[in-house]
Amino acid sequence: MHIIIFGAPGVGKGTQAKILASELNIAHISTGDILREAIKKETETGLKAKAIVESGGLVPDDIMGGIIKDALKEERCKKGYILDGFPRTIAQAMILTEILNDLEVEPIYLIKLDADDEVIVSRLSNRLVCSKCGNIIVNTNYSSEFNCPVCNSKGSYIKRKDDDEEVIRKRLMVYHDTTAPVFDYYKDKAVIFEINGTESIKEITKNILKKLRSV
Ligand code: G5P
Ligand code: MG
């Protein structure tokens, strides 16, 4: 299965993509995670992307196109994948169309998650991420004694640099201006499911799987 999970920053793309990848036995490709890893390792791409990611802007399309081409060639993508955070511009969507046409991939499913901006600002202000395995939690009741429920690391949860309120609002603005129009691009190119992103995580997964399994 070939899936794009689409929506504003903080709407729950990463949370749902991880669950769906495991349920459907496909790869989870998060361009944000790839960039954060490159920044941590100080690769050439990481050095170019650091200031842009941390200030809430968009990394140039040519860099992102290269990243996605390499990622989709990986062995783990052979069974299918869920793209999280890509495409984010019309130019990126066109790059993806070209790749998928070459690979004769179809159909493409696009899952759009929806939530209001204020819900998102509150969620992201309270998000913590495990610096070892990437697991996501909500900031309430966190203490440095906390062991990660996924990888068991101690005291490994950090706040993302782009999760300060000012940067969150900039990311939302970029989403509404530049990324939201990508949804229209897919209206005649993908099987689209629009899902309410404000229910519980479990309920959202159930709603998505119901739609995917009905096709
Ligand atoms: P990313 O990493 O793609 P964003 O900004 O698109 O970042 P983000 O912040 O990772 O998206 P998300 O994945 O949509 O958000 O949401 P999440 O982490 O799963 O959930 C957010 C919070 O809500 C968590 O605390 C979670 O526990 C909670 N939550 C989730 N689901 C629910 C729910 O159902 N109910 C409730 N109550 N809570 C829930 O990109 C980062 C940067 O990288 C660059 C850009 O600079 C970007 O800003 N980048 C690109 N640049 C150009 N082109 C691209 N294609 C790029 N990709 C990345
Ligand atoms: Mg994410």
Side-chain angles (χ1 to χ4, degrees), residues 42 44 118 130 144 152 155 184:
E42 299 185 339
E44 198 185 329
E118 291 315 310
C130 177
S144 55
N152 213 29
D184 292 330

Side-chain angles (χ1 to χ4, degrees), residues 17 24 28 32-33 38 55 63 66 77 83 94 99 105 107 117 123 125 147 153 171 175-176 185 196 203 208 211:
L24 301 168
H28 172 206
D33 288 349
S55 65
I63 297 182
C77 289
L83 297 181
M94 290 165 78
I99 299 173
V105 165
D117 284 6
R123 278 186 189 179
S125 307
N147 276 19
S153 303
R171 286 157 62 201
Y175 172 75
H176 291 300
Y185 174 89
N196 176 359
E203 196 64 23
I208 295 174
K211 297 267 191 196

Side-chain angles (χ1 to χ4, degrees), residues 43-200:
T43 65
E44 198 185 329
T45 301
L47 293 173
K48 281 187 196 153
K50 187 174 189 315
I52 303 172
V53 171
E54 290 175 2
S55 65
L58 289 181
V59 175
D61 293 330
D62 58 331
I63 297 182
M64 296 315 302
I67 287 178
I68 211 72
K69 273 181 199 153
D70 289 346
L72 296 186
K73 275 187 214 144
E74 289 174 22
E75 190 57 35
R76 68 190 179 110
C77 289
K78 292 274 173 332
K79 285 191 243 162
Y81 39 79
I82 180 158
L83 297 181
D84 160 12
F86 189 96
R88 259 178 154 92
T89 64
I90 300 284
Q92 290 180 14
M94 290 165 78
I95 293 172
L96 184 62
T97 299
E98 209 176 292
I99 299 173
L100 299 183
N101 282 347
D102 283 351
L103 297 173
E104 296 181 9
V105 165
E106 74 169 359
I108 301 160
Y109 297 95
L110 186 144
I111 299 161
K112 180 170 182 279
L113 295 177
D114 289 309
D116 287 343
D117 284 6
E118 291 315 310
V119 171
I120 284 171
V121 173
S122 152
R123 278 186 189 179
L124 291 184
S125 307
N126 289 306
R127 173 172 63 180
L128 291 176
V129 184
C130 177
S131 56
K132 302 286 182 230
C133 73
N135 188 50
I136 302 162
I137 60 163
V138 179
N139 193 3
T140 44
N141 303 325
Y142 178 73
S143 92
S144 55
E145 298 301 302
F146 182 82
N147 276 19
C148 174
V150 176
C151 72
N152 213 29
S153 303
K154 198 170 183 172
S156 56
Y157 278 80
I158 52 165
K159 196 173 162 86
R160 263 171 52 176
K161 287 221 165 97
D162 57 351
D163 276 350
D164 282 325
E165 184 167 343
E166 199 182 322
V167 183
I168 296 168
R169 292 204 184 271
K170 157 118 185 258
R171 286 157 62 201
L172 283 167
M173 198 181 74
V174 170
Y175 172 75
H176 291 300
D177 287 353
T178 309
T179 304
V182 172
F183 181 62
D184 292 330
Y185 174 89
Y186 278 102
K187 283 205 167 134
D188 61 353
K189 291 183 184 62
V191 180
I192 293 178
F193 301 126
E194 291 191 69
I195 305 279
N196 176 359
T198 60
E199 298 190 53
S200 70

